[in-house]
Amino acid sequence: MADISHRKVKKQIRLTDGKGNPIADSPVRIKQTNHSFLFGCGAFDFIPYVMKGEEEYRQVTDSWLEIFNYGTLPFYWGGYEPVEGKPNQDTLMKTAEYLKSKNVRVKGHPLCWHTACADWLMEYDNETILKKQLERIDRDVTAFKGVIDMWDVINEVVIMPIFDKYDNAITRICKDLGRVGLIKRVFERAHDNNPDAVLLLNDFNTSVNYEILIDGCLNAGVPISAIGIQSHQHQGYWGREKLEEVLERFSSFGLPIHFTENTLISGEIMPGHIVDLNDWQVEEWPSTPEGEERQAREIEEMYRILFEHPLVQAITTWDYRDGAWLNAPSGYIRKDNSLKPSYNMLKKLVKEEWWTDVDLTTDNDGCVTIDAFKGDYDLISGDLKGNAAFNDDSPITVQLERS
Amino acid sequence: MADISHRKVKKQIRLTDGKGNPIADSPVRIKQTNHSFLFGCGAFDFIPYVMKGEEEYRQVTDSWLEIFNYGTLPFYWGGYEPVEGKPNQDTLMKTAEYLKSKNVRVKGHPLCWHTACADWLMEYDNETILKKQLERIDRDVTAFKGVIDMWDVINEVVIMPIFDKYDNAITRICKDLGRVGLIKRVFERAHDNNPDAVLLLNDFNTSVNYEILIDGCLNAGVPISAIGIQSHQHQGYWGREKLEEVLERFSSFGLPIHFTENTLISGEIMPGHIVDLNDWQVEEWPSTPEGEERQAREIEEMYRILFEHPLVQAITTWDYRDGAWLNAPSGYIRKDNSLKPSYNMLKKLVKEEWWTDVDLTTDNDGCVTIDAFKGDYDLISGDLKGNAAFNDDSPITVQLERS
């Protein structure tokens, strides 16, 4: 039986009315409104909805919001600032603010990466590229502070200086500065601009290479808040054994772990000989009924394993809808926006099995004791209402007000 | 044609007599006595010679001294201090002093390693193991200062925390501290005890793992003087392509590179499926005539490539005599102490082709100009004699004295 006690609190709550008197011997509903755990998903589809209000995307975002409390928005430099000096800040800001208004935490992805980078950077010498990279971090981390306080600061550094598919500005400067040298510069800059931000290092390489890289960064004083692990499993589910082995190795640093980019597909598995997933370009990649059952089963096993691990704080599924990256059947909903078995399974986990919503009765001192999943709560007694966050076992008093 | 101009000086030398007057229009012999480049070899065989004076070993050490100016002595903790508190310091000190008296630079190998470690350490908890490891560094680096000023501080760290062939004290603490964490501690301690010492990180792993490890160490401020690369080629010569590729990757740090443990054998090649060379244990491993020709050819090509590379400062062949590590035909001399073709080839390179010994005539101001390999020189004119080190192109005056 999985031990998930670290996801819960055992809490004594004392309820008082507006005058501070105990609400004694009364019914109270304690109803979770959010998880502390970050159940995330790519939130790219919110952009067309927020900017154009298209109905097609509203169906997407509505079902998205029923499960997730955490979304990733794209800050790929090439797309974000296709012409130097003209960043897409307004679009991203409006979308991030919309998500925030829906109680969704937002992460920006990424501030530095060799892929999907701005081509115009290549006109400059390496010193200037680094300068512009750091200024880009200044500008965007500062502009979004308070709306986006979580960043994938730098992406895929293990391969960065030896990436040879095409020339790009970031591989050039990473060759010059070395991996840890560049990581140090971009993290310091992000940290300077938003000292309270959660800053991630993110990689698809889960080998000892990445372990050694993290070890070096931590000893070099890089302010890494959490280790980001990608898990695009187009070539088949890792399985429990690999997953537990990866968790064991990366938990040795004692840092929080985020599964930042998870993919499990509901169609044919990509052949194992493909090294760079981007090399697999297909016209059609159908989702199949058997594939959808398998996907739901694998996502369930994986989320249960990760939720059980005390250092894992976030899991983000990469594609919400089939047919996004690589045209893969990688989503929780199909291309026609209909819900897949994986959607229903995850919603049940997140909003039923791992969710607290109970009716209790206070004692004569206004107290109740509850065993609840960590998160935000509404407390309702008759026409009195209050709210609180439950993140530890210390007793609290909550004052309810007439709503 | 190889460019080895960085191994040479173009030097104007002005010769004066004891009173400071130019030795004009006179013959002068300029005779190299040592190389700046470190031509090294395992010097373990000096121990029985120095300690017991055995004739068998004298044959070994005499021919050794005709080529090499640099030797590695064993400080494996298990052998050096088999009983806690009773280190073999006297033996090593006498041997190191003997080598020093022969103008041989000595390196101690290693101060920290998971293999050949002291078993008695495992009785302690990890905190105590670390304390004893650091105290061992204090004791030995300080005791040998002035005799041994070059150390392989820590050996084979890429595999260290995941080494699983047997339990040992160093793998235990490396798991706790992380790779860079342990490297940092032992290097700082060695540096504190002998700030002028040349301190090496050494590994057989030449993959990107080792690059990332070095990168992390340098960014964490670890005082690495030179990068040590092992090249035990029992499974066949790397060849020019791999050698140049390794040199290119590891020269990106701009640090000196030492080839610390080189092996090329003159017998049958070890099968490629053996992962840990120590797993290949054979009764007999004969040196063959064809193997000896091949070995000489491969060593020649390898030494020429390394001597041409500006960052390489040292090459150490691991076994001087056949039948040492793994009983391999890995030496420059056979088990009966006879010289192999590789010996004659290397001696010719080191003492003829890359060696300067010329007769010149001074001009009327006592000057000669010479194109010479970097190193130490005797200058002899009639019955006057002096000496000097040639390491750069700046003109010098050398005063010769009656010998």
Side-chain angles (χ1 to χ4, degrees), chain B residues 107-255:
Chain B
K107 183 176 68 174
H109 168 87
L111 290 168
C112 181
W113 191 27
H114 54 275
T115 300
C117 192
D119 284 341
W120 50 259
L121 273 169
M122 287 194 285
E123 290 163 28
Y124 297 102
D125 62 21
N126 284 7
E127 198 184 338
T128 310
I129 292 169
L130 176 64
K131 188 168 164 278
K132 288 184 183 285
Q133 170 66 69
L134 298 176
E135 287 169 353
R136 187 244 160 142
I137 293 172
D138 293 342
R139 180 189 65 197
D140 295 330
V141 172
T142 300
F144 285 87
K145 197 171 162 178
V147 182
I148 299 180
D149 295 315
M150 191 183 286
W151 294 95
D152 287 330
V153 178
I154 186 164
N155 204 26
E156 304 181 355
V157 187
V158 170
I159 206 177
M160 189 175 275
I162 51 175
F163 179 83
D164 59 4
K165 291 193 82 168
Y166 44 82
D167 185 19
N168 70 86
I170 302 305
T171 290
R172 289 188 200 166
I173 60 171
C174 192
K175 269 188 180 135
D176 261 19
L177 294 166
R179 292 173 178 87
V180 182
L182 180 57
I183 293 171
K184 205 171 173 179
R185 299 298 294 272
V186 295
F187 263 83
E188 280 171 358
R189 206 63 171 246
H191 182 73
D192 287 350
N193 282 283
N194 187 352
D196 297 325
V198 173
L199 303 179
L200 288 106
L201 185 67
N202 192 43
D203 216 301
F204 67 86
N205 187 317
T206 58
S207 77
V208 70
N209 285 312
Y210 191 32
E211 287 177 72
I212 297 177
L213 183 66
I214 295 166
D215 186 19
C217 288
L218 295 178
N219 277 283
V222 178
I224 297 172
S225 318
I227 296 167
I229 292 175
Q230 300 181 19
S231 49
H232 295 293
Q233 297 161 78
H234 299 77
Q235 294 176 315
Y237 175 44
W238 287 0
R240 175 179 290 274
E241 199 179 350
K242 170 163 177 185
L243 197 52
E244 289 180 342
E245 181 252 334
V246 166
L247 284 169
E248 198 199 327
R249 286 191 288 110
F250 288 92
S251 58
S252 71
F253 301 104
L255 282 177

Side-chain angles (χ1 to χ4, degrees), chain B residues 131-396:
Chain B
K131 188 168 164 278
K132 288 184 183 285
Q133 170 66 69
L134 298 176
E135 287 169 353
R136 187 244 160 142
I137 293 172
D138 293 342
R139 180 189 65 197
D140 295 330
V141 172
T142 300
F144 285 87
K145 197 171 162 178
V147 182
I148 299 180
D149 295 315
M150 191 183 286
W151 294 95
D152 287 330
V153 178
I154 186 164
N155 204 26
E156 304 181 355
V157 187
V158 170
I159 206 177
M160 189 175 275
I162 51 175
F163 179 83
D164 59 4
K165 291 193 82 168
Y166 44 82
D167 185 19
N168 70 86
I170 302 305
T171 290
R172 289 188 200 166
I173 60 171
C174 192
K175 269 188 180 135
D176 261 19
L177 294 166
R179 292 173 178 87
V180 182
L182 180 57
I183 293 171
K184 205 171 173 179
R185 299 298 294 272
V186 295
F187 263 83
E188 280 171 358
R189 206 63 171 246
H191 182 73
D192 287 350
N193 282 283
N194 187 352
D196 297 325
V198 173
L199 303 179
L200 288 106
L201 185 67
N202 192 43
D203 216 301
F204 67 86
N205 187 317
T206 58
S207 77
V208 70
N209 285 312
Y210 191 32
E211 287 177 72
I212 297 177
L213 183 66
I214 295 166
D215 186 19
C217 288
L218 295 178
N219 277 283
V222 178
I224 297 172
S225 318
I227 296 167
I229 292 175
Q230 300 181 19
S231 49
H232 295 293
Q233 297 161 78
H234 299 77
Q235 294 176 315
Y237 175 44
W238 287 0
R240 175 179 290 274
E241 199 179 350
K242 170 163 177 185
L243 197 52
E244 289 180 342
E245 181 252 334
V246 166
L247 284 169
E248 198 199 327
R249 286 191 288 110
F250 288 92
S251 58
S252 71
F253 301 104
L255 282 177
I257 294 171
H258 288 205
F259 273 67
T260 51
E261 306 184 20
N262 193 55
T263 304
L264 283 160
I265 58 170
S266 63
E268 212 175 306
I269 297 301
M270 185 195 292
H273 69 265
I274 303 290
V275 174
D276 184 332
L277 302 184
N278 288 304
D279 290 340
W280 187 250
Q281 295 292 343
V282 288
E283 286 283 313
E284 288 290 322
W285 195 343
S287 184
T288 63
E290 317 79 64
E292 293 185 356
E293 293 304 325
R294 185 195 64 220
Q295 183 203 34
R297 221 165 40 235
E298 291 170 347
I299 292 179
E300 180 176 357
E301 180 172 286
M302 188 166 171
Y303 274 60
R304 284 187 186 280
I305 293 168
L306 295 179
F307 197 65
E308 191 182 348
H309 194 285
L311 285 174
V312 177
Q313 291 187 346
I315 318 170
T316 293
T317 293
W318 194 242
D319 291 332
Y320 182 60
R321 182 158 69 163
D322 283 357
W325 185 39
L326 303 176
N327 201 22
S330 50
Y332 286 108
I333 64 173
R334 301 185 191 93
K335 286 184 176 178
D336 65 2
N337 295 349
S338 60
L339 308 178
K340 291 164 71 174
S342 56
Y343 180 95
N344 296 317
M345 178 282 302
L346 188 64
K347 189 174 172 193
K348 216 168 152 218
L349 275 188
V350 173
K351 288 297 176 71
E352 292 180 28
E353 188 177 328
W354 294 337
W355 188 253
T356 304
D357 186 347
V358 288
D359 289 295
L360 300 169
T361 304
T362 58
D363 65 15
N364 61 6
D365 194 32
C367 289
V368 290
T369 299
I370 190 175
D371 188 32
F373 282 94
K374 289 177 183 170
D376 299 330
Y377 282 83
D378 279 348
L379 301 95
I380 306 144
S381 182
D383 55 357
L384 298 179
K385 196 177 165 188
N387 56 65
F390 298 168
N391 285 307
D392 58 47
D393 289 353
S394 57
I396 51 166

Side-chain angles (χ1 to χ4, degrees), chain A residues 197-394:
Chain A
V198 172
L199 303 179
L200 288 104
L201 185 66
N202 191 43
D203 216 301
F204 67 85
N205 187 317
T206 58
S207 77
V208 70
N209 285 312
Y210 190 33
E211 287 178 72
I212 298 177
L213 183 66
I214 295 166
D215 187 20
C217 288
L218 295 178
N219 277 282
V222 178
I224 297 173
S225 318
I227 296 167
I229 292 175
Q230 299 180 20
S231 49
H232 295 294
Q233 298 162 79
H234 299 76
Q235 294 175 316
Y237 175 43
W238 287 0
R240 176 179 288 275
E241 198 179 353
K242 173 165 175 182
L243 197 51
E244 288 181 343
E245 181 253 333
V246 167
L247 284 169
E248 198 200 328
R249 288 191 289 109
F250 288 93
S251 58
S252 70
F253 300 105
L255 282 177
I257 294 171
H258 289 206
F259 273 66
T260 51
E261 304 184 20
N262 194 55
T263 304
L264 283 161
I265 60 169
S266 62
E268 212 175 306
I269 297 300
M270 185 194 292
H273 68 266
I274 303 291
V275 175
D276 185 330
L277 302 184
N278 289 303
D279 291 341
W280 187 250
Q281 294 291 343
V282 288
E283 286 283 312
E284 287 290 323
W285 195 342
S287 184
T288 64
E290 316 80 63
E292 292 185 356
E293 293 305 325
R294 185 195 64 221
Q295 183 202 34
R297 218 164 43 234
E298 291 169 349
I299 291 179
E300 180 177 357
E301 180 172 287
M302 188 165 169
Y303 274 59
R304 285 188 186 279
I305 293 168
L306 295 179
F307 197 65
E308 191 181 348
H309 195 286
L311 285 174
V312 176
Q313 290 187 346
I315 317 170
T316 293
T317 293
W318 194 242
D319 290 333
Y320 181 61
R321 181 158 68 161
D322 283 356
W325 185 39
L326 302 175
N327 200 22
S330 49
Y332 287 107
I333 65 173
R334 302 188 190 90
K335 286 183 177 179
D336 65 2
N337 296 348
S338 59
L339 309 179
K340 290 164 71 175
S342 56
Y343 181 94
N344 296 317
M345 177 282 303
L346 188 64
K347 188 173 172 192
K348 214 168 154 219
L349 274 188
V350 173
K351 288 296 176 72
E352 293 181 28
E353 187 177 329
W354 295 336
W355 189 254
T356 304
D357 186 345
V358 287
D359 289 296
L360 299 170
T361 304
T362 58
D363 65 14
N364 60 7
D365 194 34
C367 290
V368 290
T369 299
I370 190 173
D371 188 32
F373 283 95
K374 290 178 182 169
D376 299 331
Y377 282 83
D378 279 348
L379 301 96
I380 306 145
S381 182
D383 57 356
L384 299 179
K385 196 176 167 189
N387 56 65
F390 298 168
N391 285 307
D392 58 49
D393 288 353
S394 57

Side-chain angles (χ1 to χ4, degrees), chain A residues 47 73-94 108-111 116-120 135-144 148 151:
Chain A
I47 297 173
L73 285 181
F75 282 79
Y76 306 110
W77 203 347
Y80 179 70
E81 191 177 0
V83 177
E84 186 176 2
K86 299 195 187 306
N88 244 330
Q89 217 171 68
D90 181 57
T91 299
L92 271 298
M93 187 65 84
K94 285 193 173 114
H109 168 87
L111 291 167
C117 192
D119 283 341
W120 50 260
E135 287 169 355
R136 187 243 160 141
I137 293 173
D138 293 342
R139 180 190 64 197
D140 295 330
V141 172
T142 300
F144 286 87
I148 298 181
W151 293 95

